[in-house]
Amino acid sequence: MQFTIVWSNKCNLTCDYCCVYDSLNKGSSLSIEDAVKFFEWQLPLYSKEEEHVVEFFGGEPTLHMDEIRALMNHLELYFSDYNLSYRIYTNCIFNKTIRSYDDVWSKFDDIICSIDGMYEDNLLRTTSRKAYDVSIENFNYLKDTYKVAGIAFVLHPESDLRKTFNYFNDMGCRYFHFEIASLWNDDKDNGITVEYLIKTFTNEGETVLDNTAGSGTTGIACINTNRNYILIEKEQKYFDIINERID
C-alpha cells in the first residue's frame, strides 16, 4: 500500500505546472496530529508483512522536514513491526533543507528529484539559470550522499526526450518520471505522442506493454513503428473500441 502525505503551505515557488499549488490553493496545512491519526486508523487495516510506502509530496515537502521527522519517529515507535519504507519528491532548490536533516534524509528508501529537464528545457519556462544550477548541484549531493532513485522531469513539445533521458541517465538515475501530457498540444493527437515515446525508448521488433490500454492508441502506434504490443484493458467499452481499431 502507498500512502501519500501532501504538505504545501510553506512553498512559495508557484511553478506553473504544479497541481498541488492549484488544487490546495496555498495555505492548506495537514497537521502532524492529523497525519498521526490517519496512520493509526489506516495501518492496522493492512498486513504487517506487506510493504507500505509512505510518500511525501507537495509544494516542496522538504520545507516540512520537522513534520516529516515527527511522523517518521511516531511510525517507528508505534508501528515498528510493519514493513514501512519512505519516499520523497523534492525540487532540489532549497539548500538549507537539502544540506541538513541528515537523520531524516538517511531514512528515505527513495528520493525522487523533480527538475525541469535539461537547462535548454528551462529556457522555455521561467526558471533562471541560477535556480537550475542549484537544483543540479543539490541533486548530485543527494545522489552521492543518500539513495536517490530517480528523477522526475517536465518536458515540452520542443524537448529532445532522448537527449534529456541520456543526460540524467549518465548521472546515475535508475528510473524516470515525466509528464507525457506536456508533449501534447491542440495540433498533436495521442497517437503521434505515443509514437514519439515508443521510438525514443524502444527498437523495432521489441514489445511494448500498455496495462491501461484505453482505446488502443499504443497498439496503433506500435503497428505504425514496427513494434509488437500487449494491451490490457478491463473496461468492456474500451475493449470493443480496441477491437474496432485493430483488426
Side-chain angles (χ1 to χ4, degrees):
M1 176 60 63
Q2 175 175 307
F3 303 97
T4 300
I5 304 298
V6 178
W7 269 305
S8 69
N9 60 300
K10 293 183 181 179
C11 185
N12 62 355
L13 293 177
T14 66
C15 301
D16 58 1
Y17 55 84
C18 181
C19 61
V20 175
Y21 178 82
D22 291 336
S23 62
L24 298 187
N25 194 27
K26 307 296 288 180
S28 297
S29 178
L30 174 68
S31 69
I32 184 62
E33 292 79 13
D34 286 341
V36 165
K37 289 178 182 177
F38 171 79
F39 282 99
E40 289 179 343
W41 164 52
Q42 280 291 307
L43 274 179
L45 302 177
Y46 298 95
S47 166
K48 294 180 180 180
E49 290 72 29
E50 177 186 357
E51 181 182 12
H52 304 290
V53 179
V54 180
E55 178 181 84
F56 298 96
F57 187 77
E60 192 43 40
T62 63
L63 294 174
H64 294 265
M65 293 298 268
D66 291 327
E67 291 92 335
I68 292 174
R69 174 195 282 143
L71 181 58
M72 283 180 166
N73 289 342
H74 181 88
L75 293 177
E76 290 169 2
L77 179 62
Y78 292 99
F79 296 96
S80 59
D81 52 345
Y82 276 75
N83 182 14
L84 298 177
S85 63
Y86 299 101
R87 176 187 301 141
I88 189 170
Y89 281 78
T90 173
N91 58 29
C92 298
I93 198 67
F94 295 104
N95 280 324
K96 185 176 181 180
T97 56
I98 297 292
R99 304 301 176 113
S100 56
Y101 294 97
D102 178 72
D103 62 313
V104 181
W105 284 109
S106 61
K107 293 180 181 179
F108 287 114
D109 299 274
D110 281 335
I111 300 173
I112 310 296
C113 300
S114 179
I115 300 175
D116 290 356
M118 300 176 64
Y119 179 63
E120 290 80 0
D121 296 328
N122 276 270
L123 294 178
L124 304 171
R125 293 194 181 276
T126 59
T127 307
S128 68
R129 177 70 198 226
K130 181 179 179 181
Y132 184 76
D133 288 345
V134 168
S135 294
I136 293 297
E137 180 182 349
N138 285 331
F139 164 77
N140 283 318
Y141 171 81
L142 290 173
K143 178 175 64 68
D144 294 339
T145 308
Y146 305 106
K147 292 178 283 190
V148 175
I151 192 151
F153 51 86
V154 179
L155 296 171
H156 308 267
E158 298 88 345
S159 297
D160 185 327
L161 183 57
R162 182 175 288 276
K163 183 178 180 181
T164 304
F165 172 82
N166 288 336
Y167 177 68
F168 289 111
N169 186 55
D170 290 342
M171 289 187 179
C173 292
R174 292 206 311 270
Y175 57 82
F176 300 82
H177 298 200
F178 54 89
E179 296 184 2
I180 295 178
S182 63
L183 295 174
W184 299 354
N185 58 45
D186 294 337
D187 301 321
K188 187 182 297 184
D189 63 25
N190 290 13
I192 295 177
T193 299
V194 175
E195 286 186 18
Y196 175 67
L197 295 175
I198 288 173
K199 288 190 290 186
T200 298
F201 291 111
T202 68
N203 298 312
E204 290 191 16
E206 292 184 337
T207 300
V208 176
L209 168 66
D210 187 347
N211 63 347
T212 54
S215 62
T217 299
T218 298
I220 298 295
C222 286
I223 293 172
N224 293 340
T225 57
N226 298 317
R227 271 75 168 172
N228 302 311
Y229 57 90
I230 299 173
L231 305 180
I232 301 174
E233 177 54 54
K234 69 176 183 178
E235 298 291 339
Q236 184 65 46
K237 63 178 180 179
Y238 292 116
F239 179 78
D240 294 339
I241 293 173
I242 294 174
N243 284 331
E244 291 177 4
R245 298 183 68 189
I246 303 176
D247 187 356

